[in-house]
Structure formats: C-alpha cells, structure tokens
C-alpha cells in the first residue's frame, strides 16, 4: 500500500510538472521544442485523413440505412457483439403488400396480374438492395471503421506519449537552465556573504586570516569562490550535473518516441492505398446494384407493355361507352406521351393486328401519318413481330387501324416491327 501511495504521489508530481510546463508554453513564458516541418506535415495529413474518414463513414451509413433508429439498433448490436437481426427491405415489404392485395382483388384480374408483376419486381429490387448493402458494408465500411478503431487509436496513443515526452524534455531544459544560472551566481558571490551579517563576516574574515579554522572560508580579498567557499557552488554544480543527466535521458526517450510516431504517421500512405481499393469495390458494387435495378425495371416495362392491350380489352367489355374510343383510353393512361391518331376499332370485327399475327413483310405504311421518332432506351424484341431498338437511333413510326395505342409500327431501312411507344420520343 505504501508503494502505491508513493507511486501515486510521483505520478501526481509528474502530471503537475507537465501541466505547469504546458501552461507556461501557452502563455509564452517557456520555450517549446518544435518538431521538424516534415513531421508537422505528417501530423496534419493524419488529422485530415481521420476527419474525412469519419465524415465519409457516417454519410455512407446514412446512404445505406436512412432510418436513424435502425442505425442506432445496429450500433447497439455491434457494441454488444451480437448478430444484427435480418431486416426486411422497403422493396420486399412493398412486394409483400402488393402480392396480398392481388390475392384479395383476384390474381386473374388485370389489376391483380399487374400487382403481382410489379410486386415480383419490387421483391427483386429489395433483394438487390440487400446484397448491395451487405457488399458495401464488408468492402467499404468495415475497412474505414477498422482504421478509426484500430490504426488511428494507436496513432493517437503514441502522439499523446510523444507530447508527454516533449513536455518532460522542455521541463528538463528549463531545470538545467535555472541550475546553471544559480551555479553562476554562486560562483560570483561567496556563500557566507549572503548568509551572515556584514560585521560578522568581517570579524570572521579577520580572525580567519590569523588562524583559519578547518573547513572555514578565507577572507574576501584572498578567497576564490570555487576554492575557499565551495559549499554552495558544489551544491549547484551537483544540481547541474544531475539536470544534464536527466536531460540526456529525456532527450533519448523523446527521440525514440518521435521515431515510433513518425513511422506510424508515414503508414497513412498505405492506409490511403487500402481505402482507394475499397472505394473502387464500393463503386463496383453500386454500379452492379443500379444496373440490376435498371434491368429489372426494363423487364417490368416490357411485361406491362404486352399486357396493356388486355387491359384495354377488359375496359371495353366493362364499359361499352368507352369501347368505341380507344384513343381516349390511351390519352387517359399516357397523358405525357404524344400519340399518333389511331383509327377506332369497331366492336365485333376481328382484329388481326391486335391479336399478334402481324406479318412485317405485309405491312404497308399509310399514305399519311408517318412520323420520325428517337429511341430513348435499348429494346430487345420478344418475337419476330417486334423490332429491336438501340438508344438514340432514329426510326420511322406509324399506326395501323385497330392497333394497341401503346404500340406502333417502326421501320429502320428494310426492317419493320412493332415497337412500344414508351421507348420513343415522337418528333414533329
């Protein structure tokens, strides 16, 4: 117990000495050992890396999980070293609701069929999102978090030790400076002249001339400070030697700690290389995710385009008043897409074009009503009656009597086939 008390007192003394040294440096009353410019640049670079890594990490977490409550829950599970429970994505939850609604409305109805198709696509989007979050967490977030919780903590610890070594070094320099000043003063002024009355000094000096006592000082006119009165001078001389010894030890510890810290700071370059590789992997995962989403939506759009004729037919059977005006139905469903005038279909007359028995070789363009169109997206033909499209190409389009308003006949040179209106930008 006594040893612990002594150690505690010693640590308290060291802490107080460092605090005094730090305060005097801030007030400009003490000298400070400056680090070289290269070392300062390494420190600034390390601080910059730490600050931006924290910001990028936090914002990426927000991107992957916008719900703050869910992020807090994941953080608590991580700190408790427990597995984070699997959470349903928003797309998967939407898919579940759409499927249940389709079952209630009837999976055979047009609305039910569409709900099922859209719900399946939302489920695939949710699964792709889950995979993207998992990949981004492993390949990007984890390395950033490991740097902040591992390498940076080590760097911060060694920097604190270096700061303490520097304060100890500056304190030793100040102590040595004071000891040398006191030694010089003791060498210039004899000890007995400061500690005894003047009349006593004179009488003692006079008697010392006649019979100097062993260990006494010689008179002022014959005594030298270093030989006649060595007590105070020797005391300060010992103090100077002790301070020089402590300074050498402290300087060695400071240099050793500075070298250790320097090596750790120079390792920031390798950290940047590692984070660069992780950033490429993050971009690749995000690219794959959005490419999958784009492909899923294209497939859904094609499926909905094929079913649009069925929906119109059901609407005709349910509402005879609207059956004689297919263009009105098209205008109600696609108000933002310019359409070509379509000849109305008479109920009861066979419609070979709408039934998908179009022979492109037998199609003749009308005398009037053709327009130029720019393709917005790539389109892969589902069968021989459709025309494959490439984005940004120009084609000629026109409508035939009785055609589904969501489809047109497209021509590219000698090639003909049906094309979906939603993939086109009709030009005047």
């Amino acid at each position: 117990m006594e040893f612990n008390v002594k150690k505690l007192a010693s640590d308290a003394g060291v802490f107080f000495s460092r605090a005094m040294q730090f305060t005097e440096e801030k007030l400009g009353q003490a000298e400070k050992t400056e680090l070289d410019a290269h070392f300062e640049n390494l420190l600034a670079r390390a601080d910059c890396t730490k600050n931006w890594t924290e910001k990028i990490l936090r914002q990426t977490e927000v991107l992957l999980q916008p719900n703050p409550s869910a992020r807090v829950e994941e953080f608590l599970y991580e700190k408790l070293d427990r597995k984070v429970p699997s959470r349903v994505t928003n797309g998967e939850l939407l898919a579940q609701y759409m499927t249940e609604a389709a079952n209630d409305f009837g999976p055979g109805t047009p609305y039910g069929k569409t709900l099922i198709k859209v719900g399946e696509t939302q489920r695939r989007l949710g699964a792709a999102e889950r995979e993207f979050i998992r990949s981004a967490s492993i390949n990007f977030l984890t390395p950033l978090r490991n740097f902040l919780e591992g390498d940076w903590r080590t760097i911060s610890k060694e920097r604190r030790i270096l700061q303490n070594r520097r304060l100890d070094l500056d304190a030793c320099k100040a102590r040595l400076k004071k000891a040398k000043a006191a030694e010089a003063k003791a060498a210039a002024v004899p000890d007995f002249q400061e500690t005894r009355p003047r009349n006593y000094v004179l009488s003692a000096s006079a008697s010392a001339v006649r019979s100097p006592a062993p260990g006494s000082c010689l008179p002022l006119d014959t005594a030298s400070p270093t030989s006649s009165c060595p007590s105070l001078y020797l005391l300060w001389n010992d103090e100077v030697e002790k301070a020089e010894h402590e300074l050498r030890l402290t300087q060695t510890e400071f240099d050793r700690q500075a070298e250790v810290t320097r090596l750790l700071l120079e390792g920031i370059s390798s950290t940047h290389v590692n984070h660069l590789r992780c950033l490429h992997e993050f971009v690749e995962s995000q690219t794959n995710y959005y490419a999958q989403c784009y492909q899923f939506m294209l497939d859904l759009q094609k499926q909905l385009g094929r079913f649009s004729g069925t929906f119109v037919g059901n609407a005709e059977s349910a509402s005879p008043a609207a059956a004689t005006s297919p263009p009105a139905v098209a205008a109600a469903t696609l108000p933002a897409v310019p359409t070509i005038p379509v000849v109305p279909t008479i109920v009861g007359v066979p419609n070979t074009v709408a039934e998908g028995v179009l022979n492109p070789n037998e199609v003749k363009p009308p005398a009037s009503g053709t327009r130029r169109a720019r393709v917005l997206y790539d389109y892969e033909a589902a069968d021989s009656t459709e025309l494959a499209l490439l984005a940004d190409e120009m084609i000629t389009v026109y409508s035939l009597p009785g055609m589904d308003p969501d489809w047109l006949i497209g021509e590219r040179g000698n090639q003909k086939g049906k094309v979906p209106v939603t993939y086109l930008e009709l030009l005047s």
Side-chain angles (χ1 to χ4, degrees):
M1 184 64 182
E2 182 181 358
F3 173 79
N4 294 336
V5 173
K6 289 182 179 180
K7 185 177 184 302
L8 180 62
S10 176
D11 294 341
V14 172
F15 176 79
F16 180 76
S17 175
R18 291 172 178 170
M20 288 291 297
Q21 179 67 25
F22 184 78
T23 304
E24 291 177 356
E25 289 177 0
K26 291 298 181 181
L27 297 176
Q29 299 176 357
E31 296 182 0
K32 176 182 177 181
T33 300
E34 299 292 343
L35 301 171
D36 59 87
H38 177 64
F39 200 96
E40 292 290 349
N41 291 335
L42 291 177
L43 290 175
R45 187 164 178 247
D47 291 334
C48 184
T49 301
K50 179 254 185 183
N51 294 333
W52 284 114
T53 301
E54 286 182 338
K55 292 180 180 180
I56 293 174
L57 175 64
R58 288 196 297 267
Q59 194 58 36
T60 306
E61 291 175 341
V62 173
L63 173 67
L64 299 180
Q65 180 53 263
N67 189 348
S69 300
R71 292 200 303 272
V72 172
E73 181 182 359
E74 293 175 358
F75 176 79
L76 294 177
Y77 272 101
E78 181 181 355
K79 291 303 179 181
L80 296 175
D81 197 16
R82 299 179 59 184
K83 184 179 180 181
V84 180
S86 179
R87 184 179 290 106
V88 179
T89 62
N90 294 328
E92 292 172 332
L93 186 60
L94 178 60
Q96 178 182 348
Y97 291 163
M98 287 185 172
T99 303
E100 294 176 357
N103 293 330
D104 286 344
F105 297 145
T109 62
Y111 186 34
K113 290 181 180 179
T114 305
L115 281 175
I116 292 176
K117 292 296 182 181
V118 176
E120 177 62 22
T121 301
Q122 294 300 325
R123 185 192 64 78
R124 298 169 67 185
L125 291 174
E129 179 185 3
R130 182 193 301 276
E131 177 61 24
F132 167 62
I133 294 175
R134 186 194 67 82
S135 176
S137 300
I138 295 176
N139 299 327
F140 189 62
L141 290 183
T142 299
L144 297 185
R145 194 176 291 113
N146 290 341
F147 165 73
L148 294 175
E149 297 179 356
D151 296 345
W152 181 252
R153 286 188 178 181
T154 303
I155 293 175
S156 300
K157 177 183 176 181
E158 298 301 329
R159 286 179 64 177
R160 288 193 299 268
I161 296 176
L162 178 63
Q163 177 74 357
N164 293 334
R165 295 289 184 267
R166 187 193 62 75
L167 292 174
D168 295 342
L169 177 62
D170 293 337
C172 288
K173 289 180 179 179
R175 190 180 305 116
L176 177 60
K177 185 176 180 180
K178 292 179 182 179
K180 287 186 176 181
E183 181 189 27
K185 185 176 181 180
V189 181
D191 181 48
F192 61 86
Q193 189 175 3
E194 295 181 355
T195 58
R196 299 178 182 177
R198 181 172 179 81
N199 57 356
Y200 179 80
V201 170
L202 293 177
S203 61
S205 301
S207 61
V209 171
R210 294 188 296 270
S211 56
S216 62
C217 296
L218 294 176
L220 290 175
D221 53 349
T222 60
S224 64
T226 59
S227 59
S228 58
C229 293
S231 56
L232 186 60
Y233 174 79
L234 292 178
L235 178 63
W236 284 111
N237 188 26
D238 293 341
E239 186 68 20
V240 169
E241 292 180 356
K242 182 179 179 182
E244 289 178 344
H245 177 69
E246 292 180 356
L247 178 61
R248 287 192 296 270
L249 294 179
T250 308
Q251 184 70 51
T252 302
E253 293 178 356
F254 173 78
D255 294 340
R256 183 186 301 110
Q257 186 60 36
E259 184 63 23
V260 172
T261 308
R262 184 192 303 274
L263 293 176
L264 290 175
L265 294 175
E266 290 176 349
I268 293 293
S269 299
S270 61
T271 299
H272 285 186
V273 174
N274 183 35
H275 288 180
L276 176 61
R277 178 183 56 81
C278 297
L279 185 61
H280 279 282
E281 294 179 356
F282 172 71
V283 172
E284 183 179 357
S285 300
Q286 197 170 25
T287 303
N288 294 334
Y289 167 62
Y290 286 118
Q292 288 178 345
C293 294
Y294 177 72
Q295 188 61 45
F296 293 158
M297 296 309 298
L298 281 184
D299 295 342
L300 176 62
Q301 194 174 34
K302 293 178 182 179
Q303 294 175 10
L304 295 183
R306 296 196 188 99
F307 294 154
S308 58
T310 305
F311 301 154
V312 173
N314 290 338
E316 292 173 354
S317 60
S319 177
T324 60
S325 181
V329 177
T333 55
L334 295 173
V337 180
T339 59
I340 297 177
V342 180
V343 178
T345 302
I346 301 176
V347 180
V349 177
N351 187 356
T352 58
V353 177
E355 293 174 357
V357 293
L358 173 67
N359 187 354
N361 296 325
E362 299 176 356
V363 172
K364 302 296 182 182
S368 61
T370 61
R371 297 177 65 175
R372 297 288 291 173
R374 186 175 68 88
V375 179
L376 299 176
Y377 319 105
D378 293 342
Y379 178 75
E380 183 179 356
D383 51 45
S384 60
T385 63
E386 297 181 0
L387 178 65
L389 303 175
L390 296 176
D392 296 329
E393 70 172 331
M394 303 295 296
I395 62 174
T396 301
V397 295
Y398 51 88
S399 178
L400 295 178
M403 277 194 66
D404 181 358
D406 291 335
W407 291 81
L408 297 172
I409 299 298
E411 289 188 3
R412 185 201 306 113
N414 296 326
Q415 297 178 343
K416 298 179 182 180
K418 293 193 303 180
V419 293
V421 176
T422 53
Y423 280 67
L424 304 175
E425 178 185 1
L426 298 179
L427 306 177
S428 59

